[in-house]
Amino acid sequence: MSETLLRVSGLKTYFYTASGVAKAVDGVSFSLDRGEVLGIVGESGSGKSVTSNSIIRLLPPQTGRIVAGEILFEDRDILKMSHKELLEFRGKEIATIFQDPMTSLDPVFKIGKQMVEMICAHQKVSKAEARQMAVDALNRVGIPEPEKRMESYPYELSGGMCQRVIIAMAVCCKPKFILADEPTTALDVTVQAQVLDLLKDLQKEMNTSILLITHNLGVVWEMCDKVMVMYAGNTVESADTKTLYSNPLHPYTWGLLDSIPRLSDKAKEDLRAIPGTPPDLRLTGQCCNFYNRCPYMTEECRASVPPLVEVEPGHFVACHRQNGEKKLVRGEGVTNHE
Ligand SMILES: Nc1ncnc2c1ncn2[C@@H]1O[C@H](COP(=O)(O)OP(=O)(O)OP(=O)(O)O)[C@@H](O)[C@H]1O
Ligand code: SF4
Ligand SMILES: [Mg+2]
């Protein structure tokens, strides 16, 4: 039987700026089972990183605030943890992998020193044991001559190698949960595939849960058990990956799927973008946030926020037109390319 590791309920994270309150995440809920991989997709600015940063409470203290919701990790409410508990929790149970590995590595210390310190901070082992663990982990993630690499500074390694070091650190801590925010976006395509394969292998081996944020729907298909599509701070659709790709029901999801380049796309002009731009996050929450870009928009869409409804087991959609009266044809009016 599956066991829930993380449960996020009604999360709202707002930014209080001089020009107003931006509702970056405005009522997002999801759960993640042990060993499961959840992908979060959506255009730039849709609230993916703010959602994941809220889980580890990594928000700018002056402006960012979690104003509502609950984040349960096993039976502990992350939002109620003291600073000390939070630091311990971040170090022991969660590993984070960001787009730029340099944000996680200290440029002035050698790789080995950073790894040994990190291991000793979280596990009761001697320095010599920690060093051996670090070498083994670097070896495990495919870094050649790991002993030698322990003596390198981060700037002496390529971006792909640094990302492997971050993953090696995760291997040493055996975290229950990996939070990966666009972990391969900054890497070459061939290195991207290697790093993702590595993550997938480790996830299987350690039965780790992963929250994977990506713009790449191909990566989601390869890596994720389920997907959540975000738009303007809200979930607009979520389902297991197969269902979402075979039976997408939200017009925004159709737009995202239609924007995947296909082999049949001969020219650059064939690449499709969703027309229009996302709304101002200071003004959302009165209607369907997608209404100004949606070809199916009706007065109802402008008058009220569509609730997130379970339309089939495990498949949730927030769109007023899911009542079965008018089954929409995917792509109709959104794109016209077939
Ligand atoms: N430090 C901040 N101060 C003010 N507003 C912010 C801040 N960080 C994020 N936001 C707001 O939250 C929105 C969502 O940001 P977020 O970083 O989660 O987007 P994203 O979905 O991760 O986009 P991307 O794909 O570009 O990484 C932004 O559009 C912005 O309006
Ligand atoms: S609620 Fe209306 S505007 Fe929003 S996605 Fe559905 S049809 Fe389009
Ligand atoms: Mg982001």
Side-chain angles (χ1 to χ4, degrees):
M1 215 178 86
S2 57
E3 195 189 336
T4 303
L5 179 76
L6 175 77
R7 187 177 295 282
V8 175
S9 312
L11 176 69
K12 294 188 181 187
T13 305
Y14 294 175
F15 288 95
Y16 294 81
T17 65
S19 58
V21 180
K23 291 172 256 171
V25 174
D26 202 18
V28 164
S29 303
F30 60 88
S31 66
L32 187 62
D33 286 346
R34 236 173 255 281
E36 198 171 41
V37 184
L38 166 69
I40 302 186
V41 298
E43 280 167 303
S44 188
S46 56
K48 305 180 298 295
S49 296
V50 174
T51 299
S52 73
N53 291 343
S54 299
I55 295 171
I56 47 173
R57 287 176 44 192
L58 201 67
L59 297 165
Q62 304 301 328
T63 52
R65 207 175 305 156
I66 297 173
V67 296
E70 190 177 59
I71 305 178
L72 291 180
F73 188 87
E74 296 175 324
D75 54 351
R76 289 162 289 165
D77 188 344
I78 296 175
L79 301 184
K80 292 192 177 135
M81 284 180 184
S82 66
H83 186 63
K84 188 168 169 270
E85 286 169 330
L86 186 64
L87 288 183
E88 199 173 301
F89 166 71
R90 280 189 198 146
K92 268 194 185 158
E93 307 193 59
I94 292 192
T96 45
I97 307 175
F98 295 115
Q99 182 172 339
D100 179 2
M102 288 312 195
T103 54
S104 309
L105 292 171
D106 194 325
V108 299
F109 293 113
K110 291 176 179 172
I111 299 293
K113 182 175 167 59
Q114 296 189 50
M115 290 187 78
V116 168
E117 279 187 2
M118 190 269 311
I119 295 167
C120 288
H122 302 297
Q123 296 182 49
K124 288 193 178 78
V125 291
S126 67
K127 276 204 168 171
E129 285 168 328
R131 194 179 160 78
Q132 192 53 51
M133 285 169 75
V135 171
D136 291 346
L138 289 177
N139 198 27
R140 173 74 186 79
V141 301
I143 291 192
E145 301 182 275
E147 294 272 5
K148 206 167 149 190
R149 286 294 149 243
M150 293 278 284
E151 302 309 317
S152 301
Y153 288 94
Y155 68 83
E156 295 177 296
L157 304 184
S158 66
M161 281 294 163
C162 284
Q163 207 61 304
R164 280 171 196 262
V165 170
I166 303 290
I167 296 173
M169 286 176 157
V171 173
C172 293
C173 288
K174 296 198 174 29
K176 293 175 184 161
F177 177 44
I178 294 178
L179 217 161
D181 190 347
E182 306 203 37
T184 58
T185 308
L187 308 177
D188 289 343
V189 179
T190 46
V191 182
Q192 280 183 16
Q194 290 165 6
V195 169
L196 287 170
D197 282 349
L198 184 61
L199 256 186
K200 188 82 188 159
D201 287 351
L202 294 173
Q203 181 265 331
K204 280 195 183 134
E205 197 179 301
M206 304 190 294
N207 199 33
T208 311
S209 309
I210 301 184
L211 182 69
L212 177 67
I213 294 173
T214 177
H215 280 111
N216 189 328
L217 288 156
V219 168
V220 171
W221 177 253
E222 290 292 327
M223 296 274 299
C224 300
D225 301 301
K226 57 186 191 183
V227 198
M228 180 168 94
V229 182
M230 285 190 74
Y231 184 74
N234 280 107
T235 307
V236 294
E237 184 159 8
S238 71
D240 66 84
T241 307
K242 262 193 194 152
T243 301
L244 192 107
Y245 281 59
S246 60
N247 185 27
L249 293 173
H250 196 284
Y252 179 64
T253 313
W254 299 342
L256 283 185
L257 291 171
D258 275 344
S259 62
I260 302 175
R262 301 170 196 187
L263 282 177
S264 57
D265 293 340
K266 289 175 228 62
K268 205 175 165 193
E269 301 81 67
D270 287 336
L271 291 175
R272 291 165 287 272
I274 303 170
T277 51
D280 183 332
L281 293 177
R282 293 168 302 178
L283 307 173
T284 52
Q286 308 300 319
C287 56
C288 171
N289 290 331
F290 191 55
Y291 91 92
N292 63 331
R293 303 171 78 183
C294 179
Y296 309 105
M297 192 271 290
T298 62
E299 273 316 303
E300 188 187 13
C301 310
R302 236 207 285 245
S304 65
V305 177
L308 191 66
V309 173
E310 190 168 17
V311 292
E312 57 182 317
H315 187 175
F316 294 83
V317 187
C319 173
H320 284 306
R321 297 181 65 175
Q322 297 301 329
N323 54 13
E325 288 165 21
K326 289 179 185 169
K327 182 83 180 160
L328 300 176
V329 178
R330 180 182 164 208
E332 171 201 323
V334 178
T335 56
N336 189 19
H337 58 274
E338 294 296 347

